[in-house]
Amino acid sequence: MKREGRHPIWNWVIHTPWVLATIAVLSVIVFFGSGAGNPLIRRVVVRRLGTITGGNVEVRTLSIQWLPLGITLKGLVIHGREPLGTEALFAAEEVHAGLRIDSFWGRKVSLNDLFLRQPQVHLRVERDGSTNVPLLNLSRVPNKSLGASLFAMHVQRVRIEDGWVMYNDVGQPLAVEGGDLQFALEAGGSAGHPLYLGTFAWKAFQFTANRFFPIPANLSAKFTLSSDGFTLEQGILNASRSRLDAHAEMKDFADPKWTFRYRGWVNLLDLREALRSPETPTGRTDVRGEATLAGGEFHSTGNYSGTDITLTYLPYFHAAGVSSRGSFHIDNKGLVVPDFLAEAFGGTVKGKVTLRFAGLQFRGDTHIDGMRLAKVFPSIEERSFPVDELHWDSVLSADSVETWTGGFEHFDISAKIQWTSPDDIAAGHIPVDGEWQIRYRYDPQTVTVTYGEFETPSSRGTVSGVYSPRNTALDVKFETGALESYRDFINQIQGAAPNSPDAVKDIAGSATWDGKIAGPSENTTFSGHVHGERARYEGAAFDLIDGDLVYSPHEFTIARGHIRHGAIDTQIDGTVALTDWSFLPDNTWSADASFDATPVETLQQLFGTAYPVRGKLSGQFHGHGTRREPSVTGLFDLADGDVYHVLFNRLRGQLTVTPDGVRIADAELRLFPLGKEIGRGAGIVTGTAEYRFRDQNLSADLVGASIPLANFEKLQTARFPVDGQVSFRVKANGPVTAPEADGTFRVVDLRVGQAVIGSFEGELNSDGRTARLKLGSAMSTGELSGGATLGLADPFSLDGKVNIRNIDLDPFLMSALHLDKFSGHGSADGEIAVKGSLKHPESLVVDTNFSHLAFNYANVQLENAGPIRFRSSHDSLEIQSATFRGTDTNIQVEGNVQFSGKRAVSLRLNGALDLRLVSTLAPGVSSGGSAQINADSRGRSTIHALRGAFT
């Protein structure tokens, strides 16, 4: 049996080698072309990239386009040497590379195009300088320049879409981060002169360094890359509000030499915000220039101009409207502005400014000229020393050296300054001349004044020392003849706005001060010796004030003080506690003062009071307490006094004044000078008196001894001089206008005219509404008794009655008849009543009723026959009934006599009359004998008409 054999085709295939090879190739093509071999290729690519980078490589998918010769990687991640948990060195959502076969037989393949979508690059520099970029394991290639290497690749097109880059230098620190990065590179030119045209746009990234605030920026560029070099046709960088346009060119990759042209518009506010530096000026600058970079050496020249520059060194200095311009030179070491010019405050600053890049150290050597002090001072904002409120104006010139670091940090200026009075003084200002050598350092906030002197038309002074908000120590000598020119300065120190209720409105005079300004700005203390003349401050005026002064927000102290105002000449020491320069109701104070024969009215003028008190005050006083509850104590002596129109010679005692009232203890009141006391009694009142302000109550315990009535001038008249001695003891308590009182008094040897009435005593009682007086006599002959009531409310009604027995009538008759003298003598028994108002003395009426009256008048002895009644007032005498008997006399008299106006007389006489009495009634008429009269006497007191019948 014949065995079945292979198919002839298989025999042909098996025995034909080239057919097998062809099948093998086709199989491989089908294997990889179908994608079945992609995992194998992906592993090869991952392994190869891992070998090159030395790090982990991840590829999500890989695909190969065989016909167009392209490879696409998706989800490519390449890890470098970054720490765990941080971004990978490189990642891309998609990487596509298109290849081109330059020579099939020569096996030359080039990269035709490269596309990266959403690439992310994270470069990290550690504190030790190491990075997350691995050492690449590349096959050695001949050393070529960057341009030669790039052109050797024959890349036709490179495109990056939506890229993201982060550069983080942890050691600096410094970071650049942003996305939306677009890049395109297209090959062009000819075969002999190939070139690339490129565009670059990074639309959103941030730059930050150290503690700087992130700066938002975007960058765009158009460039050309050739085998000879690189040209940046236009590069635009926008950072926040600022912009930079640049053009750059580099002609040789082997020996690169760069040239640049640039122009920038910088808003300094961007630097201020980015540097987090409130000291950095704000404003706008325009910078343009050219530069070269070759062999590592950078050189640039250009010019700049700045406008609307604002300088702020908070919280003490703020200046706006500054402008500046100049040219500059830059090299690797730094920057120089040889012709710096700034215009501010009406003047200029010219000089040289240098910057050393190492440490960003600035230095300015400048000359200031033409600045106006009236424009400079408003820029200085220091409450504890508000120089703008001095209202000074001057032309300022100076030679200065300024240094600072970075964004005006560690600013330091030393200057010799000259002030010269201007020809055109600013409105509301006064001219000032001066010379200063100062140094200002911003970090410690100190101004060191090596020497300083100034002079205005009314003031002069010298200053030296250190001014600092933390601790000022200045030595000051100051002299002014016009304190009023410093009113606004003082108000500002006290924190009082002009024309406010707390502002000082009245200040004037001249003063000198030799002292110190010390302490932190919130507790500045002015201390030293002050001397003022013709000084006036808020209603208080002094001819002279001198002493050692301490004045701060917390206290006002004067030691060894000497004050003179008119007749006031006193020594004073005192301390007042203040709250932020103000004397508040609960602030405490204490003071010691002495006075020597100082007029009280002058003291009242000084303190703005007007009590009805006069005299010369001597004594030593101590005051203390708070403004709300002050208290004054002291031993005092008030001479030649007048208190509520009560005159006295001297009042001594222990005075205590509190918000509750006034108390005088151990008082001794001498009513009359020593000369008047001789032979008349001491006239002394002693005791204690207290007056309470709240309820206007008075309490007193007073004793008077041997007070001579003759010394009370208001009791004396030419017709009726009053004499005698009064002693009393009285206790009173209650309202001053209606006190309750109990007391006793005694009058010894009361004399009216030449007649001695006698002695009597009494008791005084008051219930606050009515005062009652009870009288009793203490006479060797005669008797007097009775009483009176006095209303203690307006109009102070008086109602009294006195019973008399065998009382000498001479003074009473002279008073009732308004006679200058009485040539006779009389005595009487009866009663005398008084009624009226003490507020209106003219209303007082005296009613007299004598049961017995005997008197000798004109050598005629007369005696009453029946009661005698008459009424006497301020204006008249009314005789109601009077019958007198005597030798050749038995006459009845009635009528009235007026003592005011026409002084009318209307008397009726009826009966027998001794004519010797007529001569007393009608001066100038001599008469004698006896006559029967029935007549009327009418007319005025100087002209009489007598009508009737005489027999």
Side-chain angles (χ1 to χ4, degrees):
M1 178 175 178
K2 186 178 179 179
R3 191 180 59 182
E4 185 179 356
R6 294 186 181 92
H7 193 280
I9 294 176
W10 286 110
N11 290 327
W12 177 72
V13 169
I14 294 172
H15 295 284
T16 308
W18 63 269
V19 174
L20 292 176
T22 301
I23 293 173
V25 170
L26 292 175
S27 298
V28 170
I29 292 173
V30 171
F31 178 76
F32 287 104
S34 64
N38 287 352
L40 177 62
I41 297 175
R42 184 175 66 83
R43 287 194 294 271
V44 172
V45 171
V46 168
R47 188 181 303 110
R48 179 57 179 165
L49 290 176
T51 302
I52 294 174
T53 61
N56 294 328
V57 177
E58 301 172 13
V59 176
R60 189 170 65 246
T61 64
L62 178 148
S63 64
I64 298 177
Q65 298 81 40
W66 293 98
L67 293 179
L69 293 181
I71 182 171
T72 301
L73 303 178
K74 292 188 176 181
L76 174 63
V77 178
I78 301 176
H79 292 277
R81 298 188 295 180
E82 65 273 358
L84 292 176
T86 61
E87 295 286 342
L89 172 64
F90 177 83
E93 178 60 26
E94 180 180 347
V95 178
H96 175 78
L99 304 179
R100 182 182 67 253
I101 299 176
D102 295 329
S103 174
F104 182 82
W105 303 112
R107 294 181 299 176
K108 289 185 178 181
V109 179
S110 299
L111 180 64
N112 186 69
D113 58 84
L114 179 64
F115 170 71
L116 287 85
R117 183 167 64 85
Q118 296 182 357
Q120 295 184 3
V121 178
H122 177 213
L123 300 176
R124 180 182 176 92
V125 181
E126 301 296 339
R127 297 182 184 278
D128 58 2
S130 62
T131 71
N132 65 331
V133 179
L135 295 176
L136 300 181
N137 185 17
L138 298 174
S139 59
R140 295 186 175 273
V141 298
N143 289 331
K144 292 183 179 181
S145 65
L146 176 61
S149 299
L150 181 62
F151 281 92
M153 295 175 64
H154 301 291
V155 178
Q156 295 298 306
R157 185 180 300 106
V158 177
R159 186 161 60 93
I160 298 175
E161 181 180 287
D162 195 16
W164 179 88
V165 175
M166 179 176 182
Y167 174 82
N168 184 12
D169 189 336
V170 179
Q172 290 298 323
L174 181 148
V176 179
E177 178 182 4
D180 200 4
L181 186 150
Q182 315 294 329
F183 178 82
L185 189 68
E186 295 284 345
S190 62
H193 296 86
L195 55 83
Y196 286 99
L197 301 178
T199 61
F200 176 86
W202 197 0
K203 297 181 180 180
F205 68 93
Q206 287 186 338
F207 170 84
T208 185
N210 296 312
R211 59 181 181 84
F212 301 155
F213 193 82
I215 302 174
N218 61 77
L219 176 64
S220 64
K222 294 181 180 180
F223 59 89
T224 301
L225 181 64
S226 68
S227 58
D228 296 329
F230 173 85
T231 301
L232 175 66
E233 282 86 8
Q234 183 181 29
I236 300 175
L237 172 64
N238 291 295
S240 193
R241 306 170 188 86
S242 302
R243 175 179 173 179
L244 174 67
D245 284 1
H247 173 86
E249 188 174 356
M250 188 272 293
K251 294 185 178 180
D252 188 353
F253 283 106
D255 184 14
K257 295 180 180 179
W258 291 84
T259 60
F260 303 90
R261 294 195 311 272
Y262 55 88
R263 183 175 183 180
W265 296 267
V266 180
N267 191 319
L268 298 178
L269 181 59
D270 295 339
L271 294 178
R272 182 191 185 105
E273 293 176 348
L275 299 177
R276 304 178 190 267
S277 171
E279 297 83 17
T280 301
T282 60
R284 296 187 300 272
T285 60
D286 186 349
V287 182
R288 64 184 68 192
E290 298 178 348
T292 63
L293 175 61
E297 295 292 328
F298 179 82
H299 295 277
S300 178
T301 59
N303 58 75
Y304 77 94
S305 63
T307 58
D308 296 330
I309 298 173
T310 298
L311 304 176
T312 304
Y313 303 106
L314 295 176
Y316 307 108
F317 184 80
H318 180 87
V322 179
S323 63
S324 179
R325 62 181 180 272
S327 61
F328 57 83
H329 305 285
I330 305 176
D331 59 21
N332 290 42
K333 295 181 180 179
L335 174 148
V336 177
V337 181
D339 54 354
F340 174 83
L341 171 65
E343 295 175 326
F345 308 118
T348 61
V349 180
K350 298 180 179 179
K352 177 182 178 182
V353 176
T354 60
L355 163 63
R356 293 174 56 191
F357 291 142
L360 293 178
Q361 298 177 1
F362 289 84
R363 176 186 173 95
D365 295 273
T366 58
H367 176 74
I368 301 171
D369 187 47
M371 287 189 180
R372 296 297 291 266
L373 209 59
K375 296 181 179 181
V376 174
F377 276 178
S379 300
I380 301 174
E381 302 171 358
E382 174 51 68
R383 178 181 170 183
S384 64
F385 201 79
V387 292
D388 186 37
E389 304 305 325
L390 294 171
H391 304 306
W392 285 352
D393 192 14
S394 183
V395 178
L396 186 152
S397 61
D399 291 310
S400 60
V401 175
E402 304 90 359
T403 61
W404 69 93
T405 301
F408 277 83
E409 298 173 349
H410 316 302
F411 186 78
D412 190 319
I413 178 173
S414 299
K416 291 184 178 180
I417 306 171
Q418 188 74 35
W419 291 352
T420 306
S421 297
D423 295 329
D424 55 330
I425 302 171
H429 288 68
I430 57 177
V432 61
D433 294 275
E435 188 174 355
W436 302 80
Q437 181 170 339
I438 66 170
R439 181 185 180 189
Y440 170 72
R441 293 187 296 164
Y442 180 77
D443 286 353
Q445 295 288 304
T446 60
V447 178
T448 301
V449 182
T450 304
Y451 66 84
E453 58 183 28
F454 63 89
E455 182 173 359
T456 73
S458 60
S459 307
R460 66 178 62 185
T462 61
V463 180
S464 62
V466 176
Y467 174 80
S468 169
R470 297 183 180 90
N471 190 20
T472 294
L474 290 175
D475 295 316
V476 180
K477 292 184 179 179
F478 172 72
E479 177 182 351
T480 181
L483 282 171
E484 58 271 19
S485 62
Y486 295 91
R487 181 187 297 108
D488 292 344
F489 180 76
I490 294 172
N491 281 331
Q492 188 65 26
I493 287 179
Q494 295 179 346
N499 301 318
S500 68
D502 297 329
V504 175
K505 298 176 179 61
D506 182 21
I507 182 173
S510 61
T512 60
W513 177 47
D514 186 351
K516 297 180 179 294
I517 302 175
S521 59
E522 67 275 8
N523 190 25
T524 302
T525 300
F526 299 82
S527 62
H529 188 81
V530 64
H531 178 87
E533 297 181 1
R534 304 179 307 282
R536 190 172 69 252
Y537 185 86
E538 292 296 82
F542 306 94
D543 297 328
L544 178 144
I545 181 169
D546 187 275
D548 296 328
L549 181 75
V550 176
Y551 184 39
S552 75
H554 307 299
E555 70 169 318
F556 175 86
T557 300
I558 185 169
R560 295 178 290 277
H562 180 198
I563 295 176
R564 187 169 68 238
H565 173 74
I568 300 175
D569 195 333
T570 184
Q571 308 294 323
I572 186 170
D573 292 88
T575 298
V576 177
L578 303 176
T579 300
D580 291 333
W581 306 101
S582 298
F583 186 34
L584 301 182
D586 293 326
N587 289 135
T588 60
W589 67 279
S590 65
D592 293 283
S594 61
F595 298 95
D596 185 15
T598 301
V600 174
E601 51 267 41
T602 307
L603 284 172
Q604 295 204 79
Q605 292 175 4
L606 178 63
F607 295 110
T609 59
Y611 295 109
V613 179
R614 297 179 181 275
K616 296 180 179 179
L617 180 66
S618 300
Q620 294 181 338
F621 300 91
H622 174 71
H624 64 282
T626 65
R627 180 180 178 181
R628 191 194 310 275
E629 297 184 357
S631 177
V632 177
T633 60
L635 295 172
F636 73 95
D637 186 325
L638 182 62
D640 301 328
D642 180 352
V643 178
Y644 288 88
H645 308 295
V646 177
L647 303 177
F648 54 86
N649 173 250
R650 189 177 298 275
L651 174 62
R652 297 173 176 171
Q654 175 73 43
L655 175 68
T656 301
V657 181
T658 68
D660 296 329
V662 179
R663 175 181 171 83
I664 300 177
D666 301 326
E668 178 184 287
L669 173 66
R670 287 184 174 270
L671 295 171
F672 313 109
L674 292 175
K676 287 190 175 184
E677 293 179 355
I678 298 175
R680 294 181 176 179
I684 296 176
V685 179
T686 60
T688 299
E690 182 177 359
Y691 177 73
R692 295 188 296 273
F693 297 128
R694 184 178 63 258
D695 52 13
Q696 297 184 335
N697 274 9
L698 172 72
S699 63
D701 186 354
L702 303 176
V703 175
S706 302
I707 300 173
L709 296 176
N711 289 348
F712 290 99
E713 295 180 358
K714 287 192 175 184
L715 296 178
Q716 311 304 317
T717 65
R719 292 185 298 167
F720 307 110
V722 178
D723 198 0
Q725 292 186 351
V726 177
S727 299
F728 67 87
R729 172 72 182 266
V730 63
K731 292 183 178 181
N733 186 47
V736 66
T737 56
E740 297 180 0
D742 293 291
T744 61
F745 70 91
R746 179 179 178 84
V747 180
V748 178
D749 296 334
L750 175 64
R751 180 189 298 272
V752 180
Q754 301 300 318
V756 177
I757 304 300
S759 301
F760 59 91
E761 59 190 15
E763 295 180 359
L764 175 67
N765 300 102
S766 169
D767 60 4
R769 296 182 299 274
T770 304
R772 294 176 177 81
L773 177 66
K774 181 179 179 182
L775 295 174
S777 63
M779 305 175 184
S780 58
T781 60
E783 182 179 338
L784 184 149
S785 63
T789 61
L790 173 65
L792 298 180
D794 196 349
F796 305 103
S797 299
L798 175 66
D799 188 358
K801 182 182 291 187
V802 177
N803 297 310
I804 60 175
R805 186 173 65 83
N806 195 22
I807 295 297
D808 189 348
L809 288 182
D810 295 357
F812 299 104
L813 292 173
M814 292 176 65
S815 175
L817 298 175
H818 287 244
L819 300 175
D820 293 332
K821 63 180 180 178
F822 180 69
S823 57
H825 176 71
S827 63
D829 297 337
E831 63 180 26
I832 301 173
V834 180
K835 196 168 187 178
S837 168
L838 289 184
K839 185 176 182 180
H840 306 288
E842 67 278 4
S843 69
L844 291 174
V845 176
V846 179
D847 287 310
T848 305
N849 186 356
F850 290 140
S851 59
H852 176 262
L853 174 63
F855 64 93
N856 185 304
Y857 185 60
N859 296 321
V860 177
Q861 184 69 36
L862 298 175
E863 187 173 352
N864 68 307
I868 296 177
R869 298 184 181 92
F870 61 88
R871 172 174 289 183
S872 176
S873 68
H874 179 269
D875 297 323
S876 65
L877 169 66
E878 179 184 357
I879 302 175
Q880 297 170 343
S881 66
T883 302
F884 296 97
R885 293 177 181 176
T887 305
D888 299 326
T889 300
N890 185 3
I891 192 167
Q892 182 179 1
V893 181
E894 60 183 17
N896 58 74
V897 179
Q898 298 292 327
F899 303 117
S900 62
K902 295 182 178 181
R903 304 178 69 86
V905 176
S906 178
L907 294 174
R908 181 175 179 78
L909 292 81
N910 185 18
L913 177 67
D914 191 331
L915 293 178
R916 288 177 295 175
L917 295 173
V918 175
S919 61
T920 64
L921 297 175
V925 177
S926 178
S927 60
S930 176
Q932 289 293 324
I933 298 176
N934 186 0
D936 292 330
S937 177
R938 299 180 183 278
R940 292 180 292 176
S941 60
T942 56
I943 302 175
H944 295 273
L946 186 61
R947 298 177 183 179
F950 291 85
T951 58

